[in-house]
Amino acid sequence: MVLTDTYQAVTSMLIYPRKNFHTMDIGRRNFLAVTGGITTTFVAGCSGLGSSAEDPSFEVRELLQSDAALVSIDNNGNSFSATIQNTGNSGQIAVALFWQMEESAIEPEGVTSGTDGFLRERINKVYFDADERRTVELTAQPPDDAIGYQFLAQAATYGANIQNTGGKGRAAVEFTYNEPMIGIETTEEDTLYIESEATKNIEFDQVIETNSQWNIEVQPVNSE
């Protein structure tokens, strides 16, 4: 397959959580750009009810998530790039490059998915500050029978601000998400020491399916 060395990129903005598809012509081939959003359900956990003033008592005060808007795409030979803006909190953004193999191919739902008509080349995770815009470049050789390509970008960091309204202590934090495509629920755990009346942030870097439900819950480990 021969791709022209350069082409004009199409600019698109994501209206969350809808996915917008944009087409660009290069000769007789169409190239699609898309960004996917994560549909989320939040459950904030709290603990320490009925405990003494000296015991830690934790609450999830705010849930945090990075988020991605695809601004433009470009290519030069085997160098493919996507300009992405983080519209959420600081954290990792997952960027995936797909090859379109069929004219009537069904678009993938997110960076972790693929279809018979779209083959995933790979996923890169890149850290973005809040509101940062950056161009991510991937070098790849298109398959001989590819007719185009597609970028998808989505959140890859989930977290929370946790407040301790009791005595100082360590919090046990659980990040749980489901994977609808395979019907599995996964839990990741971490601990966090928080002084009395202080608030700390915790983050989990994970690429999860679109339409996944996730939550963060917290409870005391012990009093110190």
Side-chain angles (χ1 to χ4, degrees):
M1 174 181 179
V2 178
L3 295 179
T4 54
D5 289 337
T6 60
Y7 62 86
Q8 183 176 356
V10 169
T11 300
S12 61
M13 295 300 297
L14 173 68
I15 303 175
Y16 182 84
R18 298 177 61 186
K19 295 193 292 184
N20 296 326
F21 293 82
H22 301 267
T23 303
M24 38 186 103
D25 282 327
I26 305 177
R28 301 178 65 182
R29 296 188 175 92
N30 291 330
F31 293 80
L32 304 178
V34 65
T35 175
I38 295 286
T39 301
T40 56
T41 298
F42 303 128
V43 178
C46 60
S47 61
L49 297 177
S51 60
S52 70
E54 295 302 317
D55 292 332
S57 179
F58 301 110
E59 291 185 37
V60 175
R61 303 300 298 175
E62 182 184 15
L63 289 157
L64 309 171
Q65 177 186 322
S66 59
D67 206 356
L70 186 63
V71 178
S72 64
I73 67 173
D74 199 1
N75 100 297
N76 186 356
N78 289 337
S79 176
F80 298 84
S81 61
T83 299
I84 297 164
Q85 179 148 357
N86 180 10
T87 58
N89 302 102
S90 61
Q92 300 284 337
I93 298 292
V95 184
L97 173 63
F98 291 82
W99 305 116
Q100 184 182 358
M101 310 304 294
E102 303 170 0
E103 289 287 353
S104 58
I106 298 174
E107 296 89 356
E109 289 294 325
V111 300
T112 61
S113 63
T115 66
D116 290 340
F118 278 94
L119 300 180
R120 187 176 65 228
E121 174 70 23
R122 67 176 178 272
I123 301 173
N124 279 14
K125 289 201 297 184
V126 183
Y127 180 86
F128 282 73
D129 290 326
D131 298 321
E132 180 181 1
R133 180 177 294 193
R134 182 188 301 183
T135 298
V136 178
E137 183 176 321
L138 290 80
T139 300
Q141 176 63 47
D144 291 339
D145 50 351
I147 62 173
Y149 72 93
Q150 184 183 66
F151 273 102
L152 286 88
Q154 67 185 53
T157 294
Y158 303 87
N161 286 330
I162 298 174
Q163 183 180 27
N164 182 6
T165 58
K168 62 184 178 179
R170 188 168 296 277
V173 185
E174 291 187 350
F175 168 54
T176 302
Y177 59 94
N178 70 343
E179 299 178 81
M181 293 292 292
I182 56 178
I184 293 177
E185 186 173 87
T186 301
T187 297
E188 297 184 18
E189 300 178 351
D190 202 353
T191 59
L192 189 66
Y193 179 83
I194 307 178
E195 292 284 352
S196 177
E197 303 301 326
T199 300
K200 279 191 175 182
N201 167 270
I202 191 166
E203 295 179 346
F204 296 86
D205 293 332
Q206 182 65 46
V207 180
I208 65 179
E209 293 180 16
T210 55
N211 300 319
S212 291
Q213 295 180 338
W214 65 276
N215 65 56
I216 288 180
E217 297 181 348
V218 59
Q219 62 182 357
V221 173
N222 52 31
S223 299
E224 298 179 17

